[in-house]
Amino acid sequence: MTQHPVNPAPRELLKLVVVGHVDHGKSTLVGRLLYDTDALPEGKLEELQAVSSKRGMELEWSFVLDSFQAERDQAVTIDTTQIRFKTDKRDYVIIDAPGHREFLKNMVSGAAEADAAILVIDAAEGVREQSRRHGYLLHLLGVKQVAVAVNKMDLVDHDQGRFAAVAQEVTDYLAGIGVEPAAILPISARAGANVAEPSPELSWFQGPSLLQMLDRFHSVTRPSLQPLRLPIQDVYHFDQRRILVGRVESGVLRAGDTVLFSPSNKTARVRSLEAWNADPPLEAHAGQSVGLTLEEQLFLERGEVLSHEERPPQLTNVFKATLFWLGHKPLEPGVKLTAKLGTARYAVEVVAIEQTVDTDSLERRRGEAVQRNGIGEAVLRSRALMAVDEAQALPNSGRFVLLDDLDLVGGGLISMEGYPDQRSVMTVRTSNLFSVEHSVSREERWARSGHKGGVIWLTGLSGAGKSTLAMALERLLFERGYQVYVLDGDNVRRGLNANLGFSPDDRAENIRRVGEAAALFADAGALCITAFISPYQSDRDRARAATERLVPGGFHEIYVAADLATCEERDPKGLYKKARAGEITDFTGISSPYEAPRDPDFVVDTGELSIEQGVERLLEFCRSRIAFDPPKRG
Amino acid sequence: MDRLDHLESQSIFILREAYARVEPLSMLWSLGKDSNVMIWLARKAFFGRVPFPAVLLDTGNELDEVYAFRDEYVESWGLSYINADCPALEETDPSLPLNSRHAARKTLGLKRIIADQGFRGIFLGIRRDEQAVRGKERVFSPRDESGTWDYKDQPAEFWDQYKTEIPPGAHLRIHPLLAWTEVDIWRYIQREGIPVVPLYFARDGWRYRSLGEKDITRPIRSDAATIEEIIAELETTRQPERAGRTMDHDSEDAFERLRASGYM
Ligand SMILES: Nc1nc2c(ncn2[C@@H]2O[C@H](COP(=O)(O)OP(=O)(O)OP(=O)(O)O)[C@@H](O)[C@H]2O)c(=O)[nH]1
Ligand SMILES: [Mg+2]
């Protein structure tokens, strides 16, 4: 006679990682927790006893997790593992992480998945190097809920004073990275004291047991309320349908939505969401793997990010990142890697290492390189335009991993602070123009000017001497019979760009217009000198492209090199002082980045040369580059 | 989304990542409950078709019901199917315990089919909760030319960024079900109506909890004759799933050695 049990619905699941310094008792805690909650399968305890005594040890709870022979023989966790247990409230996946610094990549692999963490600290040893590093990494990996277990209280005679001292030490450290622990509790993992049950030796402690603490963590849900991001994994055409597939990382997608693809900047309407063996869904939420078809037949590939037209990702080929580095060779400027961001892959190069973080002291230092297992802030550039988000706002699409050849060697969080969104400048709005041939040829114009048209593009920090050089050069060239004109902030901002301010986007647009105007001067047969900080390589590259379209070979990028210290000392307009005082925001070199030209056509170092010397060299350069010998007619 | 929706979505994501980045692929189809769920997920991921072959590592020793199930569903699911014959027991490493040698036949069969077909990626339906050594696995787990698992130096794997680039001659073991538990599998089978070999359901007080070959798998005592009853049984049992798999229990490191040399 069969009964028909009605199975209760699946329960909520929380993923919990256990981190901390080597040997502080992480695996022991997990093993003990499983034992205390009756989660060990039948026969496991006997097996543990056998394999422990085989090694001449008392019962080693850590062997529940440390399943490799090498781990048991050397009494160290090598790789992360996951194991289940349940309380009355919900189910748990416990992720045991190794504490040895050699295995940091395994710790990261385990911890990155977690909703919450327990940081285990040996009461006798106190906060150690990996306790701090793990604490810091949790923060970077986005694990926001942390409880601290001060373990091995038996080794310090369950002393309340010692517990208080360790608790203070860890609270101070975590405060330094903006983390407030959900609880700090004394335990003795091996004996099971205050793990599942309170213990008489720790009767002075009023707080929860570890098990009670776990049930206080909040479960984490995927962000449906945030802007839509769906990185395209693939495009299938198994039948007459062309199905784009991917997982919604944030937001909600509905059939009928108009969507934007980045970085290609194409738009289309979603015709349908597709599913097999089910009715086609009408909407898809964060976390769901979906398929969709479009009204328009667009050419799209893996790596594009689908969003709505409102609040799309930013486009850029340079960004700043806080990253952790697992590679063997140091991460330094010039290093070339592959960045994987969502489903996209980009070839990137390290432009600069701005800071390194000492996870022991939390000091940030100017640094040239991030060492193995270190943390730092770097500027990265990619040749191709990337679709990115601020990690702060959208964690899933604001983070990336780095590949060195075949190996994953790091991860980072993107910050676009100080960098313009290039979407606003890439859109060609004037699409219905027809090009009309001029009736005067380029050569005719050059013959009349006596030289070729071109652009002398000066770039450098504020105070490097761009305007002074530009004006002096203009004078000298003019006197020698050249058609020459200077564009600088004064004449451009007053009219052509009067509607622009100083936000990153407006600055990018300012430079775009200067680039286009200069290109027209060049096409007209004149030499146009521009004097703008133009801090971003991408903006200068675009200006170059504008000129080259009309006057091939006509663009000359001149780096007016003078280092920040020199410029700041000169400070002709007192701007640096104001920037330092915080009165001016986004000031290049201080609160916003300057990217020196990668491959300048000419460098004038005004730190070393006088203005006269500098102008003279520039004059020579110009004469050689724009010399024009009219073809001899027979 | 409930827990099964999450697991399903994540597994589909994994299947699609592999399909986009790794070629040629195949899927091990042991005909057990897990690999049927895996085939089902592939059909969801790829809208009804499984765009790579399903491979049975055949020792000739599977239970009769298993072969019958195969013949039926190769047909009705429209699978492209490869029957990979496993080498004889004599060809396995004689230093292994006997039960492990039975299992090692599958390892050899797997190596041979990979070499023959040049597969770069193989889907396997293993789960972390089955066995402590499997608990240490990655979702995308590289194997060198000899099929060896370098478990002391596994690649970093986080933020759903998987290892998809490997040197020539190497291959990837891809584990779409790694995060599922045995109960999750049965709940999903129930929800989706996925067919399974009838041996899982109790007859005369016995049922198979895990299906292996004739000589090395034993049924367990159970009265669970429906999926509901199996789920109810699993919610309370403290018996490990692979208790009926003799090869796991030869010695402390039996399973580790099997896996290090290429077992599933
Ligand atoms: N006295 C005492 N010893 C403990 C306690 N908890 C763990 N230990 C011992 O500390 C040693 C290290 O424990 P593990 O659990 O392996 O430490 P771990 O943090 O997992 O180490 P890794 O994973 O290698 O970083 C073992 O010998 C444990 O028996 C405790 O509460 N009291
Ligand atoms: Mg450990």
Side-chain angles (χ1 to χ4, degrees), chain A residues 586-599:
Chain A
D586 291 334
F587 191 76
T588 304
I590 306 289
S591 41
S592 150
Y594 177 76
E595 299 172 15
R598 240 177 312 173
D599 193 12

Side-chain angles (χ1 to χ4, degrees), chain B residues 128-142:
Chain B
R128 285 203 182 94
D129 74 328
E130 281 176 286
Q131 210 286 333
V133 174
R134 284 182 176 163
K136 302 252 175 190
E137 264 291 5
R138 297 286 191 265
V139 176
F140 281 60
S141 183

Side-chain angles (χ1 to χ4, degrees), chain A residues 27 66 77 96:
Chain A
S27 303
D66 296 341
T77 302
D96 182 44

Side-chain angles (χ1 to χ4, degrees), chain A residues 3 8 40 42 54 69 71-72 79 82 84 91 105-106 233 247 289 340 342 345 406, chain B residues 3 9-10 13 17 128 136 138 153-154 160-163 165 179 187 229 238-239 252 256:
Chain A
Q3 294 173 340
L40 291 181
E42 202 150 288
K54 185 168 128 194
Q69 294 298 299
E71 294 181 313
R72 292 179 177 178
D79 214 329
Q82 302 194 359
R84 306 285 175 139
D91 292 357
K105 71 169 178 349
N106 298 339
Q233 273 185 292
R247 186 174 59 189
S289 286
K340 292 215 245 177
R345 297 159 68 89
L406 306 179
Chain B
R3 199 158 129 183
S9 257
Q10 181 70 13
F13 180 80
E17 279 300 282
R128 285 203 182 94
K136 302 252 175 190
R138 297 286 191 265
D153 186 18
Q154 299 201 68
D160 296 325
Q161 297 290 358
Y162 302 114
K163 176 142 190 112
E165 22 291 301
R187 283 180 181 275
E229 287 164 0
R238 293 188 53 212
Q239 288 293 332
E252 182 190 346
E256 174 175 330

